[in-house]
């Protein structure tokens, strides 16, 4: 997301040791609610020759929009979603919310995550959600024709155990 910033005030001062002229710029984000706590930043030691919009924007985006937190590994990501779908008290709304969030990521879920989601559908006795999960996975696989057959192959024992038919078996993939 590109955030626009408004220059609020500029103040000239001289660096104590070198005597070079510098500008101090106070910057306020323009309608950026997720960083209200950091609404004002003093950028010290920006020389007059380097104060261009592109340099200022790069400095602000680098200081505000990049996370310095711990990156989640693939195993931790998978474990988090398996744990989410394995909750015994999960309801239909939480199942749909979890799948909506999961489908929103730029990835195709691993078979173990889909297995946990399908088992949650069985606990809720919600066949329609199970079919929708399989349809969403097929859509997420997109033009890559190898991913969806692989997932169905990996999930076939679970689908048979739970009595869930694929969209192809039901004939609704042709509609």
């Amino acid at each position: 997301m590109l955030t626009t910033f408004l220059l609020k005030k500029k103040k000239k001062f001289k660096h104590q040791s070198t005597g070079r002229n510098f500008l101090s710029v106070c910057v306020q984000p323009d309608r950026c609610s997720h960083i209200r706590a950091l609404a004002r930043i003093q950028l010290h030691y920006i020389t007059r020759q380097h104060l261009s919009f592109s340099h200022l924007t790069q400095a602000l985006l680098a200081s505000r929009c990049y996370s310095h937190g711990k990156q989640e590994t693939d195993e931790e990501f998978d474990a988090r979603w398996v744990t989410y779908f394995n909750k015994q008290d999960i309801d239909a709304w939480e199942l749909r919310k979890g799948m909506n969030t999961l489908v929103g990521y730029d990835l195709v879920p691993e078979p173990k995550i889909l297995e946990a989601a399908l088992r949650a559908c069985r606990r809720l006795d919600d066949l329609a959600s199970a079919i929708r999960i399989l349809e969403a996975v097929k859509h997420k696989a997109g033009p890559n024709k190898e991913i969806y057959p692989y997932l169905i192959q990996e999930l076939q024992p679970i689908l048979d155990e739970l009595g869930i038919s694929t969209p192809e078996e039901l004939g609704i993939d042709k509609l």
Side-chain angles (χ1 to χ4, degrees):
M1 169 171 61
L2 181 64
T3 308
T4 57
F5 293 90
L6 301 174
L7 258 55
K8 217 162 171 211
K9 58 178 140 155
K10 294 189 277 187
K11 183 173 110 181
K12 270 192 342 186
F13 67 97
K14 287 191 180 236
H15 192 271
Q16 292 174 352
S17 61
T18 63
R20 292 174 58 191
N21 287 329
F22 289 90
L23 293 176
S24 173
V25 180
C26 180
V27 178
Q28 180 177 15
D30 180 24
R31 287 180 255 137
C32 189
S33 62
H34 66 282
I35 52 175
R36 284 188 202 279
L38 300 172
R40 293 182 184 192
I41 283 187
Q42 286 291 333
L43 296 175
H44 295 286
Y45 310 119
I46 299 178
T47 63
R48 185 180 306 168
Q49 62 198 11
H50 287 97
L51 185 62
S52 68
F53 182 73
S54 64
H55 285 100
L56 183 61
T57 305
Q58 287 174 359
L60 291 172
L61 289 176
S63 68
R64 290 176 176 234
C65 295
Y66 294 118
S67 172
H68 298 289
K70 181 182 168 222
Q71 293 291 329
E72 187 177 43
T73 65
D74 291 341
E75 292 78 22
E76 292 170 337
F77 178 83
D78 293 347
R80 178 169 55 100
W81 283 103
V82 168
T83 304
Y84 179 84
F85 288 119
N86 281 338
K87 290 190 303 187
Q88 293 301 316
D89 62 340
I90 194 169
D91 61 2
W93 184 85
E94 287 178 321
L95 176 69
R96 287 191 306 274
K97 180 187 179 304
M99 279 310 299
N100 190 27
T101 303
L102 192 58
V103 167
Y105 293 135
D106 187 23
L107 55 85
V108 178
E110 288 287 326
K112 59 185 169 185
I113 297 173
L114 296 173
E115 177 185 350
L118 292 171
R119 289 190 186 278
C121 290
R122 175 44 97 189
R123 282 194 309 274
L124 294 171
D125 199 22
D126 192 356
L127 179 63
S129 291
I131 305 281
R132 295 284 295 179
I133 288 171
L134 295 175
E135 288 176 330
V137 168
K138 184 174 184 176
H139 179 71
K140 284 295 287 184
N144 193 338
K145 301 294 182 202
E146 299 168 357
I147 295 175
Y148 183 70
Y150 165 74
L151 289 173
I152 293 298
Q153 173 190 340
E154 293 293 314
L155 292 173
Q156 195 60 52
I158 287 90
L159 294 173
D160 293 338
E161 176 188 335
L162 299 176
I164 300 171
S165 300
T166 64
E168 294 79 20
E169 292 171 350
L170 294 172
I172 58 176
D173 61 327
K174 310 256 189 287
L175 299 177

